[in-house]
Amino acid sequence: MRAISGRMAEALLRVCGVLVFAQLGNAQQVSFHITPLRPVEELRAEALKARPPHEQGSFRAPELVELVKLDPAIKLDIRYAGTNNFLETAVYTQARAFLQRPAAEAVVRAQQELEASGYGLIIHDGYRPWYVTKIFWDATPGDQKIFVANPAEGSKHNRGCAVDLYLYDLKTGKEVEMPSGYDEMTIRAYADYAGGTPDERARRELLRRAMVKQHFLVNPTEWWHFDYVDWKEYPILNTKFEDLGQ
């Protein structure tokens, strides 16, 4: 996608009706919100009864591991386990983050490299059961579906090979400012968005370099979302967190 200038971005933000949000800054205390097309509890009930798409072929045996058990310096802020998310409703029953072991170990290596620059990782999401992807899709208006995965195809999160993350300052322990907030459904979330401050863009690029070095690819419309290169080798999963053990 082509880079978008700050002036053009502001104009588009005005059209999208979210300029007030932009003026509040990017601090992560409050997430971007949408109005779900239907009540989330109604969508949850339907999603839990549905089944993931059938896949052909052979896959690696899943081995989901918890990131914080590999490196306690990694912080968790699992937004979907509370109400501070774009749906303002908890969709997870536990605040945990899992990835397939090779991807999880790669995130740990990225964390260790970032520490040399004074930063650590905050995980907002990792493995995501398929039924949650269906909730997101069914809740999101059509003009914003570019920011959510189609459950008919499954998500890389469903395979345990996608991670949403942020940076925190090792000295203060606080989140740093980035060009957009997490799960912000505007052009500011694009990986090549040219707005924001030079420091915000530099931190975004620092995160991107560290993750790409460990064989992740950034999602073009979400600078915080990284996909592990071997995602095709793993199946779509629908296991709830509470069924993954402690």
Side-chain angles (χ1 to χ4, degrees):
M1 296 183 181
R2 67 184 179 90
I4 300 172
S5 70
R7 183 172 297 177
M8 183 184 299
E10 180 171 313
L12 288 172
L13 285 167
R14 286 183 184 277
V15 171
C16 293
V18 294
L19 185 58
V20 172
F21 180 84
Q23 291 173 334
L24 293 176
N26 302 330
Q28 284 291 285
Q29 286 79 10
V30 179
S31 286
F32 183 88
H33 297 151
I34 69 167
T35 300
L37 292 175
R38 292 162 56 199
V40 173
E41 288 307 312
E42 180 180 309
L43 296 174
R44 186 200 312 275
E46 290 182 4
L48 287 170
K49 294 177 182 177
R51 293 291 179 267
H54 176 71
E55 296 184 284
Q56 300 286 346
S58 59
F59 298 95
R60 284 194 198 182
E63 188 183 4
L64 293 171
V65 296
E66 282 195 79
L67 284 166
V68 294
K69 292 184 177 180
L70 296 183
D71 189 342
I74 294 174
K75 293 187 175 185
L76 296 184
D77 180 13
I78 307 302
R79 295 297 181 84
Y80 304 134
T83 58
N84 188 17
N85 57 61
F86 76 104
L87 294 178
E88 299 184 87
T89 302
V91 292
Y92 291 163
T93 56
Q94 298 176 349
R96 304 169 74 186
F98 301 85
L99 287 175
Q100 302 292 353
R101 181 173 291 279
E105 292 175 346
V107 169
V108 170
R109 292 193 296 270
Q111 158 81 18
Q112 293 168 347
E113 178 170 331
L114 287 163
E115 287 174 350
S117 299
Y119 297 104
L121 291 174
I122 299 174
I123 307 300
H124 287 315
D125 200 21
Y127 161 67
R128 179 183 303 160
W130 177 84
Y131 79 91
V132 176
T133 293
K134 181 168 173 55
I135 292 172
F136 289 172
W137 179 263
D138 293 343
T140 302
D143 62 344
Q144 293 173 313
K145 285 191 185 296
I146 186 177
F147 295 101
V148 292
N150 187 339
E153 301 170 357
S155 161
K156 298 176 184 68
H157 278 291
N158 303 153
R159 301 175 190 275
C161 289
V163 62
D164 296 344
L165 34 70
Y166 217 86
L167 292 177
Y168 74 91
D169 188 302
L170 291 178
K171 291 182 180 179
T172 66
K174 296 181 179 180
E175 296 171 340
V176 299
E177 293 286 335
M178 298 295 245
S180 82
Y182 174 61
D183 264 358
E184 182 178 324
M185 295 182 180
T186 76
I187 56 170
R188 300 197 318 176
Y190 288 6
D192 63 357
Y193 170 58
T197 69
D199 285 345
E200 290 167 355
R201 294 194 300 274
R203 287 189 288 264
R204 182 185 65 188
E205 182 58 26
L206 178 70
L207 173 62
R208 183 171 179 169
R209 286 200 306 268
M211 294 297 288
V212 168
K213 184 176 180 180
Q214 300 304 329
H215 308 295
F216 284 88
L217 298 175
V218 70
N219 184 307
T221 60
E222 297 177 339
W223 62 260
W224 59 80
H225 175 128
F226 291 87
D227 298 319
Y228 193 58
V229 292
D230 290 340
W231 64 268
K232 290 183 180 179
E233 298 184 20
Y234 292 91
I236 294 171
L237 300 173
N238 200 25
T239 307
K240 299 176 185 177
F241 288 0
E242 55 266 38
D243 295 330
L244 289 172
Q246 296 297 324

